[in-house]
Amino acid sequence: MVLPLTNGVSALGELAKAIRQSVVRSLARAGSGHLGGSMSSADILTTLYFSVMRHDPANPSWTGRDRFILSIGHIAPVLYATLAEAGYFPKDELLSLRKMGSRLQGHPGRDHGLPGLELSAGSLGQGLSVATGMAIAAKMDRLDSRIYCLCGDGELQEGSVWEAAMAAAHHQLNNLVAVIDRNGVQIDGSTETVMGLEPLKKKWEAFGWDTLECDGHDFRSLMSSFQKTNVEQTRPSVIIAKTKMGKGIKSIEGDYRWHGKAPSMEQAEAFILEIAR
Amino acid sequence: MDYSQFSNRGNKATKTGFGEGLLEAGKKYPEVVAIGADITASVGVDLFASAFPGRFISLGIAEQNCMGVSAGLALMGKIPVFATYGVFSALRTTDQVRISLCYNNLHVIIGGAHSGVSVGPDGATHQALEDIAVMRVMPNMTVLSPCDATQARLAVIAAIEQCKGPVYVRYGREAMPDFTSPEMGFEAGKAQIFREGSDAAIIATGHMTWEALQAAIELEKEGIHARVLNIHTIKPLDEPAVINAARECGAIVTAEEHQVAGGLGSAISEVISKNYPVPIEFVGMHDSFGESGPPLELMKKFGLNAEAIVQKTRKVFLRKPG
Ligand SMILES: [Mg+2]
């Protein structure tokens, strides 16, 4: 059965809390992994999987589904937590993250058979090309599925992203929506210090995309942006979602040092309590 | 089957064979789509593009994106064929090939045109000499290297019908002898004995197979009966055929228009050293770039012709243990 969607802000808020708690739990158990970006993207994924996308957790390969491509494979923990929350597999399995033989690889690997996972990815700058190919195929087959692709902001420094951006606009892929997790930081520090991305909105506009900006932690803002995508019918859409790395845990918010770090068991307990509040 | 009477029906580029095979595949399979990176006619994809404009996707000079788009198309059930010069399709896009294609194990046909120094006047930048090495180390990848235009046509069909996952099909630019017959078929993963012999085995791929046959005729005059094995599938390699050649001939010469390191020479050595060590000599590029010039003169200069194979075969024959 296609997952029933909701526009309820409080329902989405509860789901996002549960997803964030799952992320913290699975990372603490794994002992390594990427907490910062998982937290900054949590509200985007919650909105997509519970308010926007047409999908069926009981039938992950349903042809008519919308597709979600995670280009930044390193935030796999939040994708796994979202898929489990939606019912693709039991939430207990989240505790196997990064373990030998697990379906929850450190970066997504389809060869391990996790339901709901659309793409093995982890090398940055590839996902938008794959999503572009999927959107072209959907158009060829007159399939009304939409393709969503989540990119990181640091990832936009990869030239291949802009090859894909050029191609998607050229082929008028109005069935493609890119979302940028604009948390402003990457491993070495602020994106604007490491390699400046601004003016980011103008760049996407210049490449021919319908460009929206929103608060990536405000469900109303996110939902209304997704509703506005592709109204022009000839352009792909991009939503630049302003977010905070580590969102939901005050002590780590905005701190780039939490990009690739997992909490200790003690920290995790405190984080989980804080998220519940 | 007796293939000892091979004759050249006329020179024809393997590129042309690839293009004909793609057109044929397009007629047979509606899910076959092709991607263009600007040099469509130069890599033989123009026939398909004009026959099926709705299934030809132009993506410009952006090979990394072409590879990722191919992955996306395959995920949606298409059979994408992305051909460009091998220096780009195997080397510029290596990371996309590794992750988006191979790790996802997607059925995409990659065309590697302009292989070898026989590309000619364009020079070193455009002569693919490292593509086999890079493609054959990729998990899930199949590597095909047809010996003439007829076989190149069959290779495209075989890649689509017989192979799973990503497939690299290597081909050349210059018109070269077209000598195999379509009736010989193309069984992916099977070596073909083109000439019987037991004094030495010449194991060749691509354009070098014709050269190997000419070398065998010369060697015959000296009383050296050389077996000629055509390797149109470099991966998975037909290990039993290679081991038999070692056992029955006692000496091997490999011949390829590619770096010996990582190429066919390495692939054969890996099998022989493990299973049946015999003396081996290598005809191929030895850690150098090509250069500009007429194709056949370049092949002569770099020791990639029948004459070079004859010399290496004499040498390996003398190395055979008494
Ligand atoms: Mg970032």
Side-chain angles (χ1 to χ4, degrees), chain A residues 67 108-112 118-121 123 126 129-130 132-134 136-138 140-141 143 160 163-164 167 171, chain B residues 33 54-59 61-65 68-69 71-73 75-76 78 95-96 99-100 103-106:
Chain A
R67 270 79 167 171
R110 290 165 73 235
D111 52 337
H112 294 264
E118 300 282 3
L119 184 73
S120 308
S123 176
Q126 300 195 19
S129 294
V130 176
T132 297
M134 295 174 98
I136 291 172
M140 279 180 165
D141 292 347
L143 211 61
S160 54
E163 291 185 1
H171 288 281
Chain B
V33 298
R55 287 154 57 190
F56 173 74
I57 305 153
S58 174
L59 292 174
I61 309 167
E63 294 83 5
Q64 297 175 67
N65 184 52
V69 167
L73 289 162
L75 281 165
M76 300 291 281
K78 301 292 178 194
D95 188 31
Q96 276 78 8
I99 299 300
S100 288
Y103 190 35
N104 283 282
N105 200 9
L106 299 174

Side-chain angles (χ1 to χ4, degrees), chain B residues 254-260 282-286 302-304 312:
Chain B
T254 64
E256 64 198 301
E257 216 188 334
H258 183 275
Q259 306 289 355
V260 169
F282 306 102
V283 171
M285 293 297 281
H286 295 274
F302 288 100
L304 304 172
K312 292 279 170 85

Side-chain angles (χ1 to χ4, degrees), chain B:
Chain B
M1 208 183 301
D2 178 23
Y3 297 138
S4 59
Q5 300 306 309
F6 280 114
S7 65
N8 179 12
R9 289 192 301 279
N11 283 8
K12 187 173 176 181
T14 46
K15 167 184 84 177
T16 309
F18 181 91
E20 291 169 356
L22 176 55
L23 178 65
E24 207 174 308
K27 287 177 183 161
K28 204 165 166 190
Y29 301 104
E31 64 270 38
V32 169
V33 298
I35 284 166
D38 197 42
I39 46 176
T40 306
S42 181
V43 298
V45 178
D46 48 337
L47 285 180
F48 181 95
S50 44
F52 305 105
R55 287 154 57 190
F56 173 74
I57 305 153
S58 174
L59 292 174
I61 309 167
E63 294 83 5
Q64 297 175 67
N65 184 52
C66 291
M67 208 56 91
V69 167
S70 299
L73 289 162
L75 281 165
M76 300 291 281
K78 301 292 178 194
I79 303 175
V81 178
F82 170 43
T84 184
Y85 299 153
V87 288
F88 307 135
S89 61
L91 302 174
R92 191 185 194 98
T93 65
T94 306
D95 188 31
Q96 276 78 8
V97 168
R98 176 170 179 265
I99 299 300
S100 288
L101 260 57
C102 291
Y103 190 35
N104 283 282
N105 200 9
L106 299 174
H107 192 37
V108 172
I109 317 301
I110 307 164
H114 275 43
S115 62
V117 296
S118 60
V119 168
D122 280 347
T125 56
H126 284 57
Q127 297 164 347
L129 294 168
E130 300 79 17
D131 52 325
I132 293 175
V134 168
M135 288 309 205
R136 85 178 182 91
V137 294
M138 297 286 175
N140 295 330
M141 180 69 80
T142 297
V143 180
L144 306 182
S145 171
C147 65
D148 68 357
T150 296
Q151 192 158 81
R153 180 169 68 77
L154 300 178
V156 182
I157 313 284
I160 289 166
E161 292 181 348
Q162 299 174 27
C163 303
K164 292 190 173 98
V167 187
Y168 183 71
V169 184
R170 183 179 209 246
Y171 55 97
R173 171 184 180 273
E174 184 68 6
M176 293 286 193
D178 188 28
F179 59 96
T180 64
S181 69
E183 291 73 37
M184 289 166 58
F186 191 110
E187 197 181 338
K190 281 273 176 279
Q192 297 169 305
I193 297 177
F194 275 3
R195 188 183 177 99
E196 288 294 356
S198 55
D199 291 334
I202 306 168
I203 304 183
T205 192
H207 293 152
M208 295 307 289
T209 296
W210 172 257
E211 299 297 322
L213 287 167
Q214 305 318 298
I217 292 167
E218 277 307 302
L219 290 160
E220 190 81 45
K221 295 175 190 163
E222 304 172 14
I224 298 176
H225 304 286
R227 175 178 303 184
V228 174
L229 211 55
N230 177 47
I231 303 288
H232 57 52
T233 307
I234 289 175
K235 185 189 174 187
L237 191 59
D238 186 347
E239 296 195 6
V242 173
I243 294 165
N244 280 343
R247 185 180 292 122
E248 291 162 16
C249 304
I252 285 173
V253 174
T254 64
E256 64 198 301
E257 216 188 334
H258 183 275
Q259 306 289 355
V260 169
L264 180 69
S266 286
I268 300 296
S269 300
E270 288 157 15
V271 175
I272 292 306
S273 58
K274 178 175 180 235
N275 297 284
Y276 201 92
V278 295
I280 183 164
E281 292 286 335
F282 306 102
V283 171
M285 293 297 281
H286 295 274
D287 200 23
S288 79
F289 285 106
E291 63 181 71
S292 294
L296 295 182
E297 284 177 40
L298 285 173
M299 290 179 75
K300 184 177 162 68
K301 171 169 180 169
F302 288 100
L304 304 172
N305 59 9
E307 197 186 326
I309 297 173
V310 167
Q311 283 170 15
K312 292 279 170 85
T313 311
R314 282 184 196 133
K315 191 176 169 193
V316 85
F317 184 67
L318 292 174
R319 286 176 60 201
K320 281 174 78 166

Side-chain angles (χ1 to χ4, degrees), chain A residues 16 28 39-40 88 95 153 169 190-191 200 266-267:
Chain A
M39 302 307 257
S40 67
Y88 281 90
L95 298 178
D153 51 2
S190 124
T191 58
L200 192 54
E266 297 73 47
Q267 282 173 321

Side-chain angles (χ1 to χ4, degrees), chain A residues 187-248:
Chain A
I187 297 180
D188 272 2
S190 124
T191 58
E192 300 317 287
T193 310
V194 178
M195 179 50 63
L197 296 168
E198 294 299 337
L200 192 54
K201 185 166 189 279
K202 282 188 182 157
K203 284 192 172 96
W204 284 99
E205 280 168 349
F207 271 75
W209 286 58
D210 199 10
T211 308
L212 303 152
E213 286 177 306
C214 80
D215 178 341
H217 298 307
D218 176 337
F219 292 112
R220 281 197 187 84
S221 179
L222 279 164
M223 285 188 292
S224 101
S225 296
F226 281 112
Q227 276 159 15
K228 283 182 207 148
T229 56
N230 303 323
V231 285
E232 289 188 48
Q233 298 307 317
T234 55
R235 287 146 61 99
S237 298
V238 59
I239 299 171
I240 301 170
K242 303 256 169 72
T243 60
K244 270 189 186 158
M245 178 163 284
K247 173 72 181 182

Side-chain angles (χ1 to χ4, degrees), chain A residues 89-165:
Chain A
F89 55 88
K91 284 174 78 170
D92 288 352
E93 195 174 347
L94 292 170
L95 298 178
S96 74
L97 176 69
R98 290 181 165 241
K99 304 266 193 257
M100 279 281 249
S102 171
R103 300 197 290 182
L104 281 65
Q105 293 288 296
H107 290 77
R110 290 165 73 235
D111 52 337
H112 294 264
L114 191 69
L117 185 59
E118 300 282 3
L119 184 73
S120 308
S123 176
L124 297 180
Q126 300 195 19
L128 192 58
S129 294
V130 176
T132 297
M134 295 174 98
I136 291 172
K139 278 193 168 290
M140 279 180 165
D141 292 347
R142 304 199 193 311
L143 211 61
D144 67 351
S145 298
R146 292 173 80 175
I147 318 295
Y148 296 89
C149 178
L150 180 63
C151 299
D153 51 2
E155 179 184 29
L156 304 181
Q157 291 156 0
E158 293 280 7
S160 54
V161 172
W162 300 98
E163 291 185 1

